[in-house]
Amino acid sequence: EEVAGVISVVTVPPGESLTLTQEATLEQVELWSVDRPYLYRLVTTVTVAGELVDQQETTFGARHFRFDPEQGFFLNGQPLKLKGTCNHQDHAGVGVAVPDAVQAFRIQRLKEMGCNAYRCAHNPPAPELLDACDRLGMVVMDENRYLDATPERLGDLADMIRRDRNHPSVIIWSMCNEEPLQGTETGARILKRMVRLVKQLDPTRPTICAISGNWQGGGFSTVTDLMGCNYSIPLYDAYHTAFPEHPMLGSETCSTVTTRGIYEKDEASGYLPAYDITQPGWGSPAEPGWKAVVQRPFMAGTFVWTGFDYRGEPTPYSWPCINSHFGIMDTCGFPKDNFFYYQSWWTEEPVLHILPHWNWPGREGEEIDVWVHSNCERVELFLNDESLGAQEMERNGHLAWKVKYTPGTLLARGYKGAEQVTTARVDTTGPAAGLLLAPDRHEYRADGEDVAVVTVGILDAEGRLVPVADNEVRFTVNGGARILGVGNGNPSSHEPDQADRRRAFNGLCQVLIGMGREPGEVVLTAHSPGLRTERVTLTAEPCQPRPYVPVLHQAQAVTSWRRSPLFEEEPAGTAAPPDWDQNAWQLISLGSGAQGEAGTGWVVFRAMTRTPAHHPQQEAVALRLEGICAPLKAYVNGNPAGEAAAGELTIPLATAPKSPLIVTLVTRQEGQFAEPINAAVFEREAKG
């Protein structure tokens, strides 16, 4: 439905440009909010003599907001505590090349936790992430990477503002994070130039810096519209007293180090890393991050470090850990126990969660710390139908019992007043017996871009998740789809992310399935030795793929070869150096003018490589030998592949992407050494 429009007729002289401003009024506007993310679409067209020559669509939302130094944040006139997380941009299985559908999956997971705010830490996000925040209802702190007022970096900052300023989700421009100059006059001068540029391009949004020290030293805090507090919880009150007119925000809080499903106590420190939510990282031990913010009306909200685990920063551990432990969820988006702490206090529906699991063979009779996260008023805990007592739930807190381990069932009952509103249980499970495949959806777009995010669980014979299982699961998929990647959330896993298998970590792993362009059914099958095979059917719906420019030609050179010594007789295409001999066959690079042994005889050139990865819209790869200057026979994996004496030789390769290849060239040398070809390259041709 068209709700507003304007037409302008202009004349632009040849070789000149014209800036045109148009204004249209939205009557009875529908406001965008985190609970009702209503979007409009602006269609701008250019016609010449009645003919359409250009068109652009811009999605936007209408909303108003403000930051109050005493009462926090208001969206559309209503108070809204910002319940946020900081996030890097990678996901299990795909790294930072995150498909659009996975961006939306991650935002949806945060929404399920009760999160309403997202900080892009510490660089501008992919625009598709902002699109997901617009659609799903998530406000955003959009972050610039560098404190730098050079023309190049100011250009980067301007690009970010122009690119993102039409997104209704974006409410804050973050200038930088924890810069060494944050408390200095020099830093303030640099920042003033950056803020001045931002205000020229977008005067509607406030600026902030994430500051980790020197809050009152005449630095960044004197320049930005908002005070961004990284940790340092005990300083909240002092800063507010000294600068009561400056709105404040917890830009980074509560670095709680946990690992999903790990509960063993660290005997050296006495720290329970799996579920000690009371520890707010570098804050006050007596006042965790969320409590500190929710108890202070002047604090607009918090951004917890972090929503998801990410590659790097394996604090406080080291190798073999390869990713952080900070996340409320792991790299797959599987909830850790802290997820339910935040969900308890960030959502309105009854929440009840028991931890840890109840599989502790060999620890019978030992006391186990049992915690409950809930927003109920009172919780009663039972072990094998015997009450262990009821406790009143502290607001924004948790409950704890000491329970002697006996196999069976822990059951919690949650009450509001006298009414039981919810229950939760954990059972001692049997051994692994089967598999669970749970896709995020069942219907997808057959556009070559959509992705199914499939949770894989290890179940016992009664269909219960086995919380300590680590079985390896193998995957096959048909219907024109492909496996994009796999993961399990294990911070110390060194398994490849791009593979057809993954070992479960504490009962779970994940596989990402990329849809093709052919509509129909896609069947994903999971196998694990000794377990029941499981299948799930996904539907790829017909759709109109978005336009794209195909890659018509792509080449990848094979440059590293080994040259054999001279043979008296013609060798076979399987000729290779002995396993124990790494010296007799000379390493050479084709086209480099490498010198070799002179003489007469047969010579073998051998390269070990892999076929390059290719887009599903590309044909199978071919290998092209260029500049052939001597008669040669070519072999691929020991099989004859062609002969030529001059010019070029193209060898079709009916192999899957990244398949291992051994390319062997057998040629005759007469006298001085010479390379038989100038280059060997992989070629890929597009289908359309």
Side-chain angles (χ1 to χ4, degrees), residues 62-255:
R63 83 285 181 271
H64 58 90
F65 65 88
R66 63 185 174 93
F67 286 88
D68 186 277
E70 291 294 339
Q71 298 177 301
F73 178 70
F74 290 77
L75 180 61
N76 299 329
Q78 299 299 313
L80 180 69
K81 206 74 164 181
L82 296 179
K83 305 166 184 176
T85 60
C86 307
N87 295 284
H88 285 328
Q89 68 272 36
D90 57 301
H91 190 86
V94 291
V96 296
V98 181
D100 299 358
V102 179
Q103 300 281 20
F105 169 82
R106 288 164 63 86
I107 298 301
Q108 189 61 54
R109 297 297 283 148
L110 292 171
K111 292 277 290 187
E112 291 170 11
M113 186 176 69
C115 178
N116 61 22
Y118 187 104
R119 179 184 172 203
C120 307
H122 300 289
N123 50 266
E128 292 79 11
L129 182 138
L130 296 181
D131 291 340
C133 291
D134 290 345
R135 290 195 314 273
L136 297 173
M138 178 79 71
V139 297
V140 175
M141 182 194 297
D142 201 342
E143 190 152 294
N144 173 61
R145 177 65 184 90
Y146 296 103
L147 175 72
D148 193 332
T150 61
E152 179 182 7
R153 294 302 183 201
L154 287 178
D156 292 341
L157 176 60
D159 287 345
M160 182 185 85
I161 305 299
R162 290 191 182 100
R163 188 196 71 172
D164 298 347
R165 61 188 175 186
N166 283 320
H167 287 279
S169 57
V170 176
I171 61 167
I172 303 170
W173 299 121
S174 177
M175 298 291 94
C176 56
N177 175 72
E178 295 186 352
E179 289 286 342
L181 295 177
Q182 61 192 359
T184 67
E185 289 298 324
T186 299
R189 288 198 302 270
I190 297 172
L191 185 61
K192 284 178 182 177
R193 293 186 62 188
M194 298 170 64
V195 169
R196 184 165 60 245
L197 173 64
V198 170
K199 294 301 183 182
Q200 291 171 356
L201 295 171
D202 176 23
T204 71
R205 294 177 176 88
T207 58
I208 197 172
C209 288
I211 305 176
S212 57
N214 299 311
W215 290 10
Q216 302 178 44
F220 288 178
S221 61
T222 65
V223 178
T224 55
D225 301 303
L226 307 177
M227 175 61 195
C229 310
N230 279 19
Y231 310 102
S232 305
I233 291 172
L235 300 181
Y236 286 0
D237 294 330
Y239 187 88
H240 180 62
T241 299
F243 303 94
E245 299 303 316
H246 203 187
M248 296 179 65
L249 179 66
S251 48
E252 187 172 320
T253 60
C254 205
S255 292

Side-chain angles (χ1 to χ4, degrees), residues 378-381 387-393 399 401 413 415:
R378 181 170 56 92
V379 176
E380 186 174 7
L381 186 67
S387 177
L388 303 179
Q391 298 185 40
E392 301 296 319
M393 175 63 70
L399 299 176
W401 285 260
R413 301 182 186 275
Y415 296 86

